[in-house]
């Protein structure tokens, strides 16, 4: 599984997302099409419905042959004309009076021939008279055009969505797929391959940070290899140097044990040489102690300037959440901002080490950071509630690998305050 499964897992998840989006979109489009075509069918048959309504209206007013039909109530009816009879003037429209005030509608005369017209019409009977009802199907064409426009809009939306998904793949998913194995390669120790795509606007900062991590790990690896090499050479040289005085001591001791030197003066001389060889070995041991006490951590910092508020803001933002989760009150006192000389990250590291000690060795009730001005300097204090060290131990708290009496049962290396002092 491993790398292959990880890469394909990303693509598979993205493929499922795209498939789900398109399925939902297809369902929405299908529902919209059903609604639109249903509306179109209703529009196609609208003139039939309205003809029936007109016929019912005329039947309801059969006692009033001059009853004017209000055409403004209908979308497809163009005119309603009564056949000439004895009760009305020849060719007079039964809807003429109403149609003259109709907004945008015209009740044109049917012409001299009751059964002829340039428009589509039907003949209906209402009471004892025939009525010529003209209608239009242009509304159907308008509805069809609306459906075409709606389908074009839907098509544009689908194409736009496809473009967005393709852009997401090219701009994000594709790059993320390439990055997915990079942390694993770093963990394996493959530190020689730099990240090339540093200008990606979505992952630029992330890529830059990863490459900085790679360079830092690579430099640390080289430093450790050099240190191991120097250590090996030192130990080999030291062991060779120790062999000579150690062999002499062994020979002198064997001679003395066998009483080979009868002369008292000779015995004193041998004893003196044994002491000299022992002193020589002691000198080599001192070198070992000195070498083991040398700085094994890089304490170099970059010269620069930063504002105190920037560093305190980082520390406060991190520890406010962390201490709130464990129920410890965390208070940062008021201070005036100032420009500081040095490296901000190293300064933050010092405060973090001290605060971690306060968390580890305090009683968990309260931790505070205060600020004071003393002798032209800014004094920053970290105070926690809990037990204190004895006066005898306070002088050793900055020694490497030293741990106080309150460290029993707590994990640690005894390097936190040592590092703080070195950095400061």
């Amino acid at each position: 599984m491993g790398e292959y499964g990880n890469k394909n897992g990303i693509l598979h998840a993205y493929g499922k997302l795209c498939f789900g989006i398109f399925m939902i979109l297809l369902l929405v489009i299908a529902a919209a099409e059903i609604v639109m075509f249903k509306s179109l069918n209703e529009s196609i048959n609208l003139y039939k419905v309205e003809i029936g309504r007109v016929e019912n209206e005329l039947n309801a007013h059969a006692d009033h042959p001059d009853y004017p039909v209000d055409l403004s109530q209908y979308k497809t009816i163009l005119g309603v004309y009564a056949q000439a009879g004895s009760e009305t003037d020849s060719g007079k429209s039964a809807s003429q009076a109403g149609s003259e005030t109709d907004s945008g509608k015209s009740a044109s005369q049917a012409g001299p021939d009751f059964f002829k017209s340039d428009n589509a019409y039907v003949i209906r009977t209402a009471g004892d008279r025939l009525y010529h009802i003209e209608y239009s199907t242009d509304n159907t064409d308008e509805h069809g055009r609306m459906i075409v426009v709606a389908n074009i809009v839907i098509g544009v939306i689908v194409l736009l969505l496809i473009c967005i998904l393709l852009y997401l793949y090219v701009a994000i998913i594709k790059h993320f797929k390439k990055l997915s194995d990079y942390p694993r390669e770093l963990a394996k120790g493959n530190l020689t391959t730099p990240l090339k795509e540093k200008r990606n606007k979505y992952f630029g900062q992330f890529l830059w940070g990863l490459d900085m991590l790679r360079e830092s790990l690579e430099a640390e690896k080289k430093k450790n290899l050099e240190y191991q090499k120097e250590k090996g050479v030192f130990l080999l040289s030291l062991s060779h140097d120790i062999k000579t005085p150690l062999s002499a001591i062994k020979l002198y001791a064997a001679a003395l044990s066998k009483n080979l030197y009868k002369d008292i003066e000779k015995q004193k001389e041998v004893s003196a040489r044994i002491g000299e060889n022992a002193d020589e070995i002691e000198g080599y041991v001192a070198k070992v102690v000195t070498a083991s006490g040398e700085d094994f951590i890089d304490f170099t910092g970059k010269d620069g300037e930063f504002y105190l508020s920037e560093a305190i803001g980082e520390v406060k933002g991190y520890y406010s959440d962390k201490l709130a989760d464990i129920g410890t009150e965390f208070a940062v006192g008021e201070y005036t901002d100032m420009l500081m000389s040095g490296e901000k990250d190293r300064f933050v590291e010092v405060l973090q080490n001290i605060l971690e000690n306060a968390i580890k060795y305090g009683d968990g009730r309260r931790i505070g950071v205060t600020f004071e001005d003393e002798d032209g300097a800014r004094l920053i204090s970290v105070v926690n509630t809990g037990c204190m060290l004895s006066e005898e131990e306070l002088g050793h708290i900055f020694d490497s690998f030293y741990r106080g009496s309150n460290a029993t049962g707590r994990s640690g290396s005894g390097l936190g305050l040592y590092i703080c002092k070195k950095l400061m």
Side-chain angles (χ1 to χ4, degrees):
M1 184 93 179
E3 300 174 3
Y4 181 80
N6 185 39
K7 288 181 179 180
N8 285 275
I10 296 171
L11 291 176
H12 181 66
Y14 184 70
K16 288 175 65 177
L17 175 64
C18 294
F19 179 77
I21 291 174
F22 276 110
M23 287 301 296
I24 293 173
L25 187 62
L26 286 175
L27 290 174
V28 172
I29 292 174
E33 292 290 339
I34 291 172
V35 171
M36 286 189 294
F37 279 105
K38 184 179 178 181
S39 175
L40 178 62
N41 290 333
E42 291 177 353
S43 175
I44 291 173
N45 297 318
L46 180 62
Y47 75 92
K48 297 179 181 179
V49 175
E50 291 194 339
I51 288 172
R53 287 176 54 196
V54 170
E55 186 177 359
N56 292 334
E57 187 176 350
L58 292 173
N59 280 321
H61 298 84
D63 296 337
H64 304 280
D66 295 331
Y67 171 76
V69 177
D70 185 4
L71 299 182
S72 63
Q73 302 178 39
Y74 304 97
K75 295 181 179 180
T76 61
I77 304 302
L78 300 178
V80 179
Y81 308 95
Q83 187 179 31
S86 60
E87 297 179 1
T88 61
D89 295 334
S90 175
K92 185 178 180 181
S93 170
S95 61
Q96 186 176 2
S99 63
E100 290 175 355
T101 58
D102 176 37
S103 59
K105 296 257 184 187
S106 172
S108 59
Q109 297 292 335
D113 193 337
F114 182 78
F115 297 99
K116 287 184 180 182
S117 175
D118 294 334
N119 300 313
Y121 69 94
V122 293
I123 304 298
R124 292 289 186 267
T125 303
D128 56 355
R129 304 189 69 179
L130 293 178
Y131 288 90
H132 174 111
I133 304 174
E134 293 185 2
Y135 63 89
S136 171
T137 57
D138 289 343
N139 189 57
T140 302
D141 297 335
E142 182 182 350
H143 227 79
R145 286 193 296 271
M146 290 176 61
I147 291 176
V148 171
V149 171
N151 284 326
I152 292 174
V153 171
I154 291 174
V156 170
I157 292 173
V158 171
L159 288 176
L160 183 62
L161 180 61
I162 292 173
C163 292
I164 291 173
L165 292 175
L166 286 175
Y167 177 78
L168 288 176
Y169 174 78
V170 173
I172 298 177
I173 303 299
K174 182 179 177 182
H175 295 288
F176 187 77
K177 185 168 72 74
K178 292 180 180 179
L179 290 173
S180 60
D181 291 329
Y182 198 75
R184 186 185 293 107
E185 293 300 319
L186 291 181
K188 289 179 180 178
N190 183 11
L191 308 173
T192 57
T193 306
L195 284 169
K196 299 178 181 178
E197 303 172 35
K198 295 182 181 179
R199 295 184 179 179
N200 183 282
K201 62 181 179 180
Y202 295 107
F203 294 101
Q205 193 76 4
F206 178 67
L207 295 174
W208 180 72
L210 274 181
D211 214 37
M212 280 189 63
L213 175 62
R214 180 193 64 80
E215 292 174 357
S216 176
L217 291 174
E218 187 176 12
E220 193 67 26
K221 183 179 179 181
K222 290 179 180 178
K223 180 182 176 182
N224 288 335
L225 289 174
E226 288 293 326
Y227 175 76
Q228 292 296 331
K229 180 181 177 181
E230 292 176 3
K231 180 180 176 182
V233 172
F234 173 74
L235 291 177
L236 285 173
S237 175
L238 191 63
S239 62
H240 181 269
D241 292 339
I242 289 177
K243 281 181 180 179
T244 302
L246 186 60
S247 298
I249 290 174
K250 289 175 70 176
L251 288 173
Y252 289 135
L256 289 174
S257 65
K258 293 179 180 180
N259 200 21
L260 296 179
Y261 301 108
K262 305 295 183 179
D263 188 8
I264 297 298
E265 292 298 325
K266 188 64 175 177
Q267 290 178 358
K268 288 182 178 179
E269 181 185 347
V270 169
S271 298
R273 289 181 179 177
I274 290 176
E276 290 174 1
N277 288 317
D279 290 339
E280 188 176 352
I281 292 175
E282 187 177 7
Y284 291 134
V285 172
K287 287 184 179 180
V288 174
V289 173
T290 302
S292 65
E294 289 179 352
D295 293 337
F296 46 88
I297 302 175
D298 182 17
F299 295 107
T300 58
K302 299 177 181 178
D303 292 332
E305 293 180 338
F306 64 94
Y307 283 98
L308 177 63
S309 59
E310 296 176 355
I312 298 301
E314 286 188 19
V315 173
K316 184 177 180 181
Y318 176 74
Y319 283 97
S320 293
D321 295 334
K322 181 175 181 178
L323 295 176
D325 291 339
I326 61 177
T328 300
E329 180 187 351
F330 182 55
V332 177
E334 295 183 358
Y335 61 93
T336 54
D337 203 4
M338 60 183 296
L339 189 64
M340 302 181 67
S341 177
E343 185 178 358
K344 184 187 72 173
D345 292 340
R346 291 299 202 181
F347 179 73
V348 171
E349 185 179 349
V350 170
L351 287 180
Q352 286 178 335
N353 282 341
I354 300 175
L355 284 166
E356 290 297 329
N357 269 14
I359 295 171
K360 187 182 296 183
Y361 303 115
D363 60 9
R365 288 192 294 113
R366 187 179 187 277
I367 295 175
V369 181
T370 60
F371 304 85
E372 297 177 48
D373 291 327
E374 283 191 4
D375 300 327
R378 177 65 54 84
L379 175 65
I380 303 175
S381 304
V382 177
V383 183
N384 63 279
T385 54
C387 61
M388 294 183 63
L389 291 174
S390 62
E391 292 290 337
E392 294 77 16
E393 293 180 287
L394 290 178
H396 301 285
I397 60 175
F398 294 109
D399 295 343
S400 60
F401 301 108
Y402 178 81
R403 305 195 72 201
S405 57
N406 62 343
T408 305
R410 294 180 172 90
S411 61
S413 60
L415 291 172
L417 295 182
Y418 168 77
I419 292 173
C420 289
K421 185 176 180 181
K422 286 289 184 179
L423 289 176
M424 292 306 295

